[in-house]
Amino acid sequence: MTRWQEVDDLGLDEEFDELDPMAAPVSGFTPPDQDLVDQDDWQGDDEVDVLAEGRGPWEPSHGFPDGYGVVRVWVDDDKRITKVRLSPSWREKSGRTPLVMAFASSFTYINSYGRDDSPSDLLQVDEGEASRPFSWEQIDELARRTEQLTERLGALGPESEGQWRGTEAVGESPDKLCAIRLELNGDLGSIQFNERKLAQSRVREVTDAVVKAHAAALANFQPAQYEPGEADRLTGELQGLRNEALAMMRRGFR
């Protein structure tokens, strides 16, 4: 049995069926404006000329590049790592860009993809009925209470913020080559390699280790629980006052 057969088949390509120079994803930030792979790495590959001319808009099926031309990572709809590729010259490139840094860049793309980073409106409108008849006196009372709550909210310190409670999950590949840490929300955090093993590993062994380490981390992951703080309570009261005022005005103008 060969060393390749001893590794579980994860459906990855052969060792030198590696990166291609496709554009990086757009996920709320601007990726590095550079080729993903040095052209010297791809001399003699007829496919490069086709890819270099562009394959249309980037999509997740193209994989998430690192911006340094070292790694590319594929994930499924649940952001589980399913495949990894390394550049054929990854050892030379890792001298300039450590492998952990290259993966960190790719992980940033993955974590950001599909996330809505636009500000959320904490004061959502409740279309319910008003609890009291409309009057300017009632509106004035709501305004005074709103001002009081706003002042109290502004005087709060950081200790009044809600907290996420949980532990970060860590997973290690069976061969102890790679370990991946997940953030409290399940996002990809840091990655570490056993440098001694890494120096003796082939591309396929490294890519398999990353996939398996992430699977192990997900198996250990427990979603964190959010504990609201005083700031959350006051914000909720403010939302209730605003919704009550709007409901009274809707009721009065009918």
Side-chain angles (χ1 to χ4, degrees):
M1 178 179 296
T2 66
R3 180 169 60 170
W4 286 100
Q5 292 172 321
E6 292 172 357
V7 180
D8 291 343
D9 183 6
L10 299 177
L12 306 188
D13 298 329
E14 293 300 329
E15 178 172 359
F16 290 109
D17 180 15
E18 307 296 345
L19 295 173
D20 50 52
M22 289 184 287
V26 177
S27 308
F29 54 87
T30 303
D33 184 14
Q34 62 186 56
D35 290 338
L36 296 178
V37 180
D38 293 338
Q39 292 301 315
D40 290 344
D41 292 342
W42 297 94
Q43 289 180 356
D45 189 343
D46 294 335
E47 187 180 13
V48 173
D49 293 336
V50 176
L51 294 174
E53 293 174 0
R55 287 180 60 173
W58 177 91
E59 57 185 54
S61 62
H62 297 162
F64 293 79
D66 67 327
Y68 301 101
V70 178
V71 304
R72 186 180 292 248
V73 180
W74 279 258
V75 296
D76 61 17
D77 292 341
D78 296 323
K79 294 189 177 181
R80 177 188 294 269
I81 295 178
T82 59
K83 185 170 69 173
V84 177
R85 286 182 177 177
L86 292 181
S87 168
S89 60
W90 71 276
R91 294 187 190 276
E92 291 77 9
K93 291 182 178 181
S94 293
R96 304 190 305 269
T97 303
L99 197 56
V100 292
M101 185 181 299
F103 273 104
S105 176
S106 178
F107 288 177
T108 297
Y109 284 14
I110 293 169
N111 292 337
S112 300
Y113 179 74
R115 177 178 294 164
D116 183 6
D117 292 327
S118 59
S120 59
D121 184 4
L122 297 178
L123 302 180
Q124 299 294 329
V125 176
D126 183 354
E127 297 292 341
E129 295 293 329
S131 61
R132 68 195 84 178
F134 171 82
S135 70
W136 291 114
E137 289 79 8
Q138 294 289 356
I139 293 295
D140 287 342
E141 179 189 345
L142 291 177
R144 286 193 297 270
R145 291 176 58 193
T146 297
E147 183 177 1
Q148 293 172 355
L149 288 175
T150 301
E151 290 179 355
R152 289 172 58 188
L153 187 61
L156 294 178
E159 69 282 354
S160 65
E161 300 291 336
Q163 300 290 328
W164 285 98
R165 304 294 183 184
T167 58
E168 297 174 333
V170 177
E172 191 174 41
S173 61
D175 58 5
K176 311 298 182 183
L177 171 60
C178 172
I180 290 178
R181 177 186 58 81
L182 301 182
E183 304 288 356
L184 291 179
N185 62 356
D187 278 357
L188 288 158
S190 61
I191 185 170
Q192 292 182 333
F193 291 95
N194 182 312
E195 294 297 332
R196 182 183 60 82
K197 287 179 175 290
L198 185 64
Q200 303 171 357
S201 298
R202 293 171 58 106
V203 168
R204 179 62 176 266
E205 293 171 326
V206 177
T207 56
D208 282 0
V210 174
V211 176
K212 292 180 178 180
H214 187 228
L218 288 175
N220 296 329
F221 176 69
Q222 293 292 332
Q225 300 297 318
Y226 183 73
E227 295 182 0
E230 179 66 8
D232 297 296
R233 187 185 69 79
L234 293 180
T235 299
E237 288 190 36
L238 283 170
Q239 177 177 323
L241 293 177
R242 181 192 184 210
N243 290 338
E244 177 69 9
L246 293 174
M248 283 195 299
M249 287 188 286
R250 288 195 303 270
R251 176 178 179 176
F253 292 139
R254 289 177 181 173

